[in-house]
């Protein structure tokens, strides 16, 4: 202790000596610096933004004068999206729209499971056991044994390690993408991607690079550009994750993505693939497993498959499946999974029963495809309308061959065609979009949905009625 | 003071152990139980940063059995839980097949006990299920608008006392898809510190500027409002197009109730708009269950956008927004959910209709009113007793959400296991160091 004290004193003596021996300019400079520091410490701080020399009275006046916009702008009464069709009764094969009985060509009930008796009785049994709601998110007493069973069944059906279910179809892909892709990561996405994917990408804050619809050359060009960028900055490239997001069967255009070429690009440029299969699940492939079965691709090559259960499975909700390494992450980071109540058990039971039916009757997929081909052929040759979509796609679009000039007029024209068909007993609808929010707005079209329940006469009737409608409206 | 220090020490020790274990795993002394990347994709950019998963691997997995407990009965006052054990310290679970019966349920948000497997609600839902089926397979604007939805919306508007209402399939999505439709670039959102993830996501997706005010602190809110109007948008100084204040009725983390009269006074003074998220308070507050607006005796016309969910008090699923007719017409046309997302499932709609009519007394009984009163009594009794026993409780006196503070991270796992053994079902937030009990209506 004494030695340290002595050491301290000795240092002090040295300091005083140095002080006397230092040159004058040195001391003056240091003195000025110290005075400057003292001045800064005691000067009043000011914020850059608040350079306001406004008096309180002026502030009051500003507050009085400010007028906000109305919360919402008024919507004209005849806006096409304002007046909904009212469906009385179940939206099944024969549907009562606005009081008129029609054949349903507008609901995505591809496998006709919406009014299947077995599905309904499974849901009834679940209702008697669990009631309706789950009253909690999955983490807090909202996990029921039906949810676990559904996840196992889906994983087994799709031949992946694990599956995770969400309680809303839209939220599935919109929560899955931001769970993996964060700010600074790069996502290559097709132009025709659906709105849910766009919202997922927006929530992820990553760099989005759009490539032309189904154009592999354009995608390869973007990937090559990214590669040259990476070579400039290899350290950053080592931590930037890359993803390609595509849909199996595109909702907006009705065609399939070229999955084999995408897999080749994946391994060449080391990008992960997220596949959205809402329309192709339960439709494509020999057993309905989707586009991977359709093309004969190993399911492990796709990093994440996301689909909603609201189309073929005729329930509500969505699921993601893939390897446990990928899916398990969503259990803590999927926003729509952690912060939302779980799927009502009766809907999960309905989905399980629908899966059972899909597994027991693999020939319905072939039947559905045959019907799609039939109507696709029958709808060719309507002058004025062109068919957009693959021949085996159950959700087609009918677009005007020549536009009237403005989107509004096109929409009005198509509405007249739809009304004509509805009056004669075929229920159709226009494809709806949020015009200002879509990144690449598709042209206005009529959506035609083919289901397994439609008979061949009904298909022919629909085709001939559409021909008539277009002729009468366009002339 | 001591408690704070000990809590930090506890976390510090856990972190150190975490680093030690990671080190051992890296050097293969300890087996790595995590799922790993495919061999063919080992040279891809890693999907997860190492540090993101640190918390998951080392802290969360130790006490993972406190969450995601699967149940196999109605989430009523008592619930049956599936027994599960882990032989490798919570990395994997196996189900023994046995069921633990009659656990007192203090974790489900079943405030009024409408999640039942028998009774009028369930029978009505069964009827609708056999008539309509489970799904809808279309969006509201296309072919998914059933007559049941119109009936529900008219009933919700009457229940809340507003001009019009619109219902959506998911409560979370109601916020995240409608806030972007209401505000956009050039608008300002003032959001409470403790708002729910759905409100935060909706605000972010809208593209508006977001400013946060301290939780339930009216001075902080007033200062932000004044500054916003006086100075305008940052850098360009243009006036804001509109200002939207986002608050919740009952905050699910704190158990506190928003200071609604003061917020409304501020909103009127500064000409801004109020978005009230009543996910927890609808059905649970107020003499007739109409929510936080009735609790304070205010008029629903003062709140511009009244949003809520059907998951908690009504025992169903989905969300709604109520307000003036122009607002709802606008949302019918421009809401993301109406255009792109499937509408509510019909049996779920029927459950909401029946339970809402019960609360309103329109089914001819006083069952609904009795339940609302019982919930209020239970809440006050429970809080009083916990205080007498010496626990530290947060939140408002009348809020049915009761956060009980534990503080030490080490106690979390122990507390839940002990409660599990005593047959009480609660849930724990280790991030916020809470144990949260939500008091459910006891009907027996």
């Amino acid at each position: 202790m004494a030695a340290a004290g002595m050491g301290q004193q000795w240092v002090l003596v040295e300091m005083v000596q140095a002080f006397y021996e230092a040159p004058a300019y040195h001391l003056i400079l240091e003195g000025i610096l110290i005075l400057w520091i003292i001045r800064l410490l005691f000067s009043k701080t000011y914020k850059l933004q608040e350079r306001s020399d406004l008096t309180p009275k002026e502030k009051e006046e500003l507050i009085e004068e400010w007028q906000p916009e109305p919360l919402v702008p008024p919507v004209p009464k005849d806006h096409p999206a304002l007046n909904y069709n009212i469906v009385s009764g179940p939206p099944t094969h024969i549907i009562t729209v606005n009081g008129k009985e029609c054949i349903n060509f507008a609901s995505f009930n591809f496998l006709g499971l919406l009014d299947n008796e077995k599905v309904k009785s499974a849901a009834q049994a679940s209702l008697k056991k669990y009631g309706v709601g789950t009253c909690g998110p999955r983490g807090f007493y909202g996990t029921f044994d039906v949810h676990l069973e559904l996840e196992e069944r889906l994983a087994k059906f799709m031949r992946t390690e694990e599956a995770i279910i969400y309680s809303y179809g839209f939220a599935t892909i919109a929560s899955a993408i931001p769970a993996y892709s964060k700010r600074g990561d790069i996502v290559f996405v097709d132009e025709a991607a659906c709105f849910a994917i766009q919202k997922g990408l927006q929530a992820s804050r990553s760099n989005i690079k759009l490539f032309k619809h189904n154009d592999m050359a354009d995608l390869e060009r973007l990937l090559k550009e990214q590669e040259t960028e990476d070579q400039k900055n290899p350290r950053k490239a080592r931590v930037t994750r890359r993803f390609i997001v595509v849909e199996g069967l595109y909702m907006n255009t009705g065609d399939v993505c070229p999955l084999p070429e995408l897999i080749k690009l994946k391994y060449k440029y080391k990008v992960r693939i997220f596949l959205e299969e809402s329309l192709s699940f339960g439709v494509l492939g020999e057993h309905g497993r989707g586009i991977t079965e359709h093309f004969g691709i190993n399911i492990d090559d796709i990093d994440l498959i996301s689909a909603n259960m609201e189309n073929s499975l005729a329930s509500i909700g969505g699921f993601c499946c893939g390897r446990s390494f990928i899916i398990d992450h969503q259990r803590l980071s999927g926003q729509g999974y952690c912060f939302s109540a779980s799927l009502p058990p009766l809907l999960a039971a309905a989905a399980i029963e629908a899966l059972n039916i899909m597994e027991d009757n693999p020939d319905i997929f072939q039947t559905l495809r045959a019907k799609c081909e039939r109507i696709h052929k029958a709808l060719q040759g309507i002058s004025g309308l062109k068919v957009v979509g693959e021949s085996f796609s159950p959700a087609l679009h009918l677009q005007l061959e020549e536009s009237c000039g403005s989107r509004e007029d096109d929409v009005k024209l198509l509405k007249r065609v739809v009304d004509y068909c509805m009056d004669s007993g075929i229920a159709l609808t226009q494809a709806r979009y949020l015009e200002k929010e879509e990144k690449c707005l598709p042209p206005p079209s009529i959506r035609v949905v083919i289901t397994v329940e439609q008979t061949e006469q009904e298909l022919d009737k629909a085709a001939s009625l559409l021909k008539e409608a277009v002729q009468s409206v366009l002339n | 003071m001591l408690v704070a220090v000990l809590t930090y020490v506890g976390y510090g020790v856990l972190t150190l152990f975490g680093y030690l274990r990671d080190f051992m795993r890296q050097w293969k002394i300890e087996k790595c139980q995590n799922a790993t990347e495919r061999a063919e994709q080992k040279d891809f950019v890693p999907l997860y940063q190492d540090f993101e998963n640190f918390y998951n691997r080392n802290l969360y997995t130790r006490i993972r059995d406190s969450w995601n407990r699967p149940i196999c009965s109605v989430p009523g006052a008592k619930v049956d839980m599936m027994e599960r054990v882990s032989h490798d310290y919570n990395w994997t679970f196996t189900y023994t097949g046995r069921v633990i019966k009659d656990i007192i349920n203090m974790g489900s948000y079943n405030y009024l006990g409408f999640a039942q497997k028998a009774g009028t609600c369930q029978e009505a839902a069964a009827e609708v299920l056999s008539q309509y089926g489970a799904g809808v397979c279309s969006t509201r604007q296309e072919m998914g608008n059933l007559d049941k939805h119109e009936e529900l919306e008219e009933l919700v508007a009457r229940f809340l006392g507003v001009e019009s209402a619109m219902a959506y399939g998911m409560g979370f999505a109601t916020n995240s898809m409608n806030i972007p439709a209401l505000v956009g670039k050039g608008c300002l959102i003032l959001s409470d510190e403790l708002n729910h993830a759905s409100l935060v996501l909706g605000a972010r997706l809208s593209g508006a500027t977001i400013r946060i005010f301290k939780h339930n602190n009216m001075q902080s809110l007033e200062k932000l409002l004044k500054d916003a109007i006086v100075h305008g948008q940052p850098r360009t100084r243009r006036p804001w197009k509109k200002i939207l204040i986002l608050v919740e009725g009952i905050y699910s983390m704190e158990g506190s109730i928003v200071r609604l009269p003061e917020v409304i006074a501020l909103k009127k003074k500064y000409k801004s708009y109020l978005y009230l998220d009543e996910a927890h308070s609808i059905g649970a507050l107020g003499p007739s269950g109409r929510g936080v607006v009735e609790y304070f005796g205010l008029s629903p016309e003062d709140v511009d956008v009244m949003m809520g969910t059907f998951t908690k008090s009504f025992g169903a699923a989905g969300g709604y927004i109520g307000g003036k007719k122009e607002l709802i017409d606008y949302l019918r046309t421009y809401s993301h959910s109406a255009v792109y997302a499937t509408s509510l499932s019909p049996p779920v709609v029927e459950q909401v209709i029946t339970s809402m009519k019960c609360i309103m007394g329109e089914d001819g009984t006083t069952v609904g009113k009795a339940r609302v009163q019982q919930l209020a009594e239970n809440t006050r009794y429970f809080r009083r007793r916990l205080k007498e026993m010496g626990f530290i409780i947060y939140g408002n006196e009348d809020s049915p959400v009761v956060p009980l503070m534990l503080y030490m991270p080490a106690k979390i796992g122990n507390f839940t296991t002990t409660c599990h053994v005593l047959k009480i079902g609660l849930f724990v937030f280790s991030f916020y160091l809470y144990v949260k009990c939500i008091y459910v209506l006891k009907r027996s």
Side-chain angles (χ1 to χ4, degrees):
Chain A
M1 271 308 259
M6 283 293 287
Q8 263 187 330
Q9 273 186 329
W10 180 70
V11 168
L12 204 58
V13 163
E14 278 239 335
M15 270 175 62
V16 174
Q17 255 189 331
F19 195 71
Y20 278 122
E21 285 175 14
Y25 70 87
H26 196 93
L27 289 175
I28 292 171
L29 195 61
E30 290 202 14
I32 291 175
L33 277 172
I34 291 174
L35 283 172
W36 187 257
I37 291 173
I38 294 175
R39 179 169 169 256
L40 277 177
L41 279 174
F42 285 111
S43 70
K44 225 168 33 171
T45 50
Y46 71 97
K47 272 189 270 200
L48 270 168
Q49 270 200 324
E50 199 154 352
R51 264 182 324 225
S52 68
D53 317 344
L54 299 170
T55 65
K57 187 162 179 298
E58 284 169 343
K59 287 190 187 172
E60 290 286 331
E61 278 177 20
L62 276 173
I63 295 174
E64 285 251 356
E65 280 169 9
W66 178 68
Q67 283 300 335
E69 281 181 6
L71 181 58
V72 290
V75 176
K77 278 214 175 355
D78 59 350
H79 195 286
L82 184 54
N83 306 307
Y84 293 168
N85 295 321
I86 301 185
V87 174
S88 350
T92 47
H93 179 56
I94 306 284
I95 187 175
T96 315
V97 188
N98 298 332
K100 186 142 186 13
E101 225 181 64
C102 307
I103 304 171
N104 192 350
F105 273 82
S107 298
F108 290 108
N109 183 14
F110 300 138
L111 303 178
L113 294 173
L114 197 53
D115 58 347
N116 185 301
E117 282 312 315
K118 277 207 256 177
V119 168
K120 280 195 205 174
S121 54
Q124 290 278 12
S126 169
L127 182 59
K128 283 200 182 62
K129 189 173 174 201
Y130 301 106
V132 175
T134 56
C135 300
R138 286 293 290 264
F140 312 128
Y141 300 101
T143 304
F144 283 52
D145 44 357
V146 238
H147 296 136
L148 298 172
E149 199 191 325
L150 179 58
E151 287 180 357
E152 253 181 66
R153 290 294 304 280
L154 282 167
K156 212 165 75 176
F157 180 74
M158 293 294 285
R159 298 199 194 134
T160 57
E161 275 180 23
E162 204 176 324
I164 178 176
I165 50 179
Y166 285 82
S167 53
Y168 205 44
F170 189 100
T172 313
I173 189 71
S175 306
I177 295 178
Y180 302 101
S181 181
K182 315 271 183 206
R183 200 194 284 271
D185 296 332
I186 302 171
V187 183
F188 300 94
V189 66
D190 192 300
E191 266 181 356
C194 67
F195 195 72
I197 295 179
Q198 289 172 33
K199 284 292 133 184
L201 292 170
Q202 193 185 353
S204 72
R205 297 198 260 216
S206 322
N207 298 332
I208 315 291
K209 298 200 160 80
L210 293 164
F211 63 90
K212 291 200 193 55
H213 177 54
N214 272 351
D215 188 345
M216 292 297 107
D218 198 34
L219 174 58
E220 184 141 19
R221 174 184 65 87
L222 285 172
L223 285 165
K224 276 208 176 73
E225 273 174 23
Q226 185 57 41
E227 214 179 20
T228 30
E229 280 285 326
D230 289 342
Q231 276 156 1
K232 286 186 205 153
N233 194 345
R235 251 179 61 179
K236 185 169 159 208
R238 243 180 291 140
V239 290
T240 313
R241 294 170 276 230
R242 273 146 259 213
F243 303 97
I244 296 178
V245 179
V246 282
E247 291 184 46
L249 198 57
Y250 285 91
M251 174 87 108
N252 293 344
T253 58
D255 42 13
V256 293
C257 71
L259 204 53
E261 281 105 47
L262 277 167
I263 303 281
K264 285 203 200 93
L265 286 174
K266 165 185 169 157
Y267 286 111
K268 185 169 171 196
Y269 293 95
K270 315 243 179 296
V271 210
R272 295 178 199 264
I273 298 189
F274 284 178
L275 187 58
E276 220 283 324
E277 289 221 73
S278 293
L279 282 190
S280 49
F281 177 76
V283 167
L284 293 181
E286 208 187 300
H287 295 102
R289 295 198 175 97
I291 194 171
T292 46
E293 203 182 23
H294 179 81
F295 281 117
I297 290 178
N298 178 7
I299 195 123
D300 281 336
D301 279 333
I302 311 285
D303 294 274
L304 179 83
I305 296 184
S306 142
N308 69 24
M309 307 195 281
E310 292 161 0
N311 301 334
S312 316
L313 286 180
S315 178
I316 303 274
F319 68 92
C320 287
C321 60
R323 296 185 66 243
S324 291
F325 174 70
I326 305 213
I327 298 296
D328 209 42
H329 182 69
Q330 280 181 51
R331 293 203 195 267
L332 281 183
S333 344
Q335 290 224 321
Y337 181 83
C338 303
F339 296 112
S340 173
S342 47
L343 188 62
L346 68 99
L347 295 169
I352 295 177
E353 192 58 37
L355 256 183
N356 288 344
I357 297 176
M358 272 171 66
E359 286 179 348
D360 294 336
N361 310 323
D363 40 328
I364 45 174
F365 308 113
Q366 189 56 35
T367 324
L368 179 63
R369 266 197 290 276
K371 298 204 174 164
C372 296
E373 308 252 352
R374 193 190 174 97
I375 197 160
H376 192 92
K377 214 162 63 180
L379 287 173
Q380 305 286 350
I382 302 185
S383 67
L385 283 183
K386 63 174 181 227
V387 181
V388 174
E390 298 271 350
S391 61
F392 49 78
S393 159
L396 306 165
H397 288 266
L398 290 171
Q399 291 172 5
L400 287 172
E401 265 174 9
E402 270 176 39
S403 163
C404 301
S406 76
R407 193 186 171 94
E408 258 188 63
D409 292 330
D410 287 346
V411 166
K412 284 203 182 94
L413 188 66
L414 288 171
K415 183 167 184 332
R416 284 165 58 197
V417 173
V418 167
D419 287 340
Y420 186 103
C421 293
M422 289 253 247
D423 288 336
S424 321
I426 298 280
L428 290 170
T429 175
Q430 282 197 53
R432 300 275 183 202
Y433 304 104
L434 275 175
E435 285 155 20
K436 297 206 182 70
E437 307 268 343
E438 286 263 4
K439 277 216 173 87
C440 299
L441 186 59
S445 61
I446 299 179
R447 210 196 279 285
V448 178
V449 178
I450 295 102
T451 74
V452 141
E453 290 179 315
Q454 290 153 356
T455 63
E456 297 184 345
Q457 293 92 322
E458 287 166 348
L459 291 171
D460 294 334
K461 177 177 174 197
S464 60
L465 198 58
L466 272 163
K467 272 199 187 81
E468 249 182 68
V470 174
Q471 270 172 354
S472 94
V473 163
L474 281 180
N475 299 339
Chain B
M1 182 64 205
L2 180 65
V3 169
V5 168
L6 282 175
T7 314
Y8 283 119
V9 165
Y11 266 114
V13 168
L14 275 172
T15 317
L16 277 174
F17 261 100
Y19 279 124
L20 179 66
R21 299 284 280 272
D22 271 348
F23 178 72
M24 286 177 23
R25 269 189 219 116
Q26 203 183 0
W27 286 93
K28 308 266 193 290
I29 305 174
E30 190 178 320
K31 198 170 70 161
C32 186
Q33 310 255 28
N34 245 345
T36 46
E37 180 68 271
R38 272 175 91 205
E40 295 92 330
Q41 289 179 218
K42 277 265 190 281
D43 52 348
F44 279 44
V45 175
L47 193 52
Y48 312 119
Q49 303 284 10
D50 246 351
F51 190 70
E52 277 170 13
N53 262 8
F54 182 82
Y55 174 78
N56 194 359
R57 276 198 304 273
N58 298 311
L59 276 69
Y60 174 69
T61 315
R62 280 169 178 268
I63 44 174
R64 201 157 76 114
D65 61 330
S66 324
W67 291 281
N68 292 310
R69 292 219 171 106
I71 63 180
C72 47
S73 74
V74 177
K78 292 222 166 107
V79 76
D80 299 335
M81 205 177 294
M82 287 168 68
E83 196 184 14
R84 62 179 183 173
V85 291
S86 175
H87 301 288
D88 51 359
Y89 299 105
N90 291 342
W91 285 102
T92 56
F93 292 107
T94 37
Y95 295 100
T96 59
R98 278 195 298 269
V99 169
I100 309 174
K101 285 202 173 291
D102 290 339
I103 299 190
I104 300 177
N105 186 357
M106 301 196 83
S108 293
Y109 294 109
N110 186 10
Y111 294 131
L112 295 177
F114 278 113
Q116 303 162 292
K117 60 181 182 183
T120 35
C121 295
Q122 187 266 346
E123 282 164 23
E127 172 78 42
V128 167
L129 175 60
S130 58
Q131 195 195 353
Y132 284 79
V136 184
C137 299
S138 190
T139 65
R140 284 303 285 280
Q141 284 196 0
E142 292 188 12
M143 206 51 82
N145 183 39
L146 309 178
D147 46 0
K148 278 274 160 223
H149 295 128
E150 307 260 319
E151 196 187 326
L152 170 66
E153 289 174 357
E154 193 249 337
L155 182 64
V156 169
R158 250 184 318 126
F159 181 74
L160 296 171
V162 291
E163 282 178 25
S164 185
M166 183 167 179
Y168 303 93
M170 186 196 197
F172 186 98
T174 310
N175 279 331
S176 64
M177 297 208 226
N178 288 309
I179 297 180
L182 292 174
V183 289
K185 257 197 157 79
C187 304
L188 176 65
I189 292 184
L190 296 174
S191 157
D192 190 293
E193 226 178 354
L194 296 182
N195 269 338
H196 189 251
S198 56
L199 288 166
V200 172
L201 182 63
R204 265 182 46 208
L205 285 176
S206 67
T209 313
I210 307 175
R211 298 214 175 127
I212 315 247
F213 63 91
K214 296 202 184 57
H215 178 58
N216 250 353
N217 185 328
M218 295 301 114
Q219 288 85 1
S220 169
L221 176 58
E222 179 154 20
K223 182 169 185 307
L224 281 178
L225 277 167
K226 258 206 190 112
D227 285 346
I229 302 181
V230 166
H231 297 292
Q233 299 188 31
R235 290 190 295 142
T236 57
R237 297 284 185 204
R238 286 203 204 108
W240 293 104
K241 288 196 196 150
K242 37 188 150 157
I243 300 184
L244 186 67
I245 305 176
L246 296 180
V247 286
E248 289 188 40
I250 293 182
Y251 290 89
S252 51
M253 291 291 125
E254 284 274 320
S256 50
I257 302 183
V258 68
R259 287 200 164 97
L260 199 58
E262 297 167 42
V263 174
I264 290 189
L266 276 176
K267 156 200 119 95
K268 283 189 180 151
K269 182 173 171 194
Y270 293 97
K271 290 176 276 200
S272 40
Y273 300 111
L274 181 61
Y275 186 106
L276 178 64
D277 178 343
E278 292 208 83
H280 287 272
S281 51
I282 191 77
L285 282 185
S288 65
R290 298 297 211 266
V292 72
V293 172
E294 196 194 20
Y295 177 74
F296 285 109
L298 299 165
S299 154
E301 294 190 6
D302 289 331
V303 180
D304 300 286
V305 188
M306 289 184 74
M307 176 264 169
T309 59
F310 300 125
T311 333
K312 321 285 187 325
S313 303
F314 301 101
Y320 66 85
I321 287 192
K324 293 211 160 43
K325 190 160 183 323
E326 297 91 53
L327 170 70
I328 302 298
D329 280 346
Y330 182 83
L331 286 177
R332 277 192 212 282
T333 325
Y334 292 105
S335 158
H336 304 184
S337 173
V339 186
Y340 293 107
T342 318
S343 29
L344 275 162
S345 159
V348 172
V349 171
E350 187 60 31
Q351 161 83 12
V352 180
I353 292 178
T354 331
S355 57
M356 206 177 259
K357 281 195 175 142
C358 183
I359 297 178
M360 285 164 84
E362 280 185 11
D363 60 342
T365 66
T366 50
V367 168
K369 210 166 159 75
R371 288 190 190 204
V372 174
Q373 276 168 349
Q374 177 78 40
L375 175 65
E377 274 171 35
N378 282 356
T379 312
R380 280 193 285 272
Y381 174 74
F382 190 67
R383 280 175 172 267
R384 191 167 48 88
R385 289 288 293 145
L386 280 181
K387 279 219 186 81
E388 281 170 16
M389 288 197 226
F391 288 107
I392 305 173
I393 314 222
Y394 273 15
N396 195 299
E397 274 303 309
D398 296 312
S399 129
V401 175
V402 184
L404 198 159
M405 305 299 283
L406 278 184
Y407 296 112
M408 315 282 179
K411 287 193 185 168
I412 298 166
N414 207 350
F415 194 87
T416 40
T417 326
T418 323
C419 284
H420 199 64
V421 165
L422 292 173
K423 289 205 170 181
I424 305 177
L426 323 146
F427 58 82
V428 188
F429 276 107
S430 77
F431 198 65
Y432 297 103
L433 313 172
Y434 290 169
V435 159
K436 189 195 293 190
C437 326
I438 294 188
Y439 203 80
V440 157
L441 174 71
K442 283 242 166 84
R443 288 178 56 242
S444 53

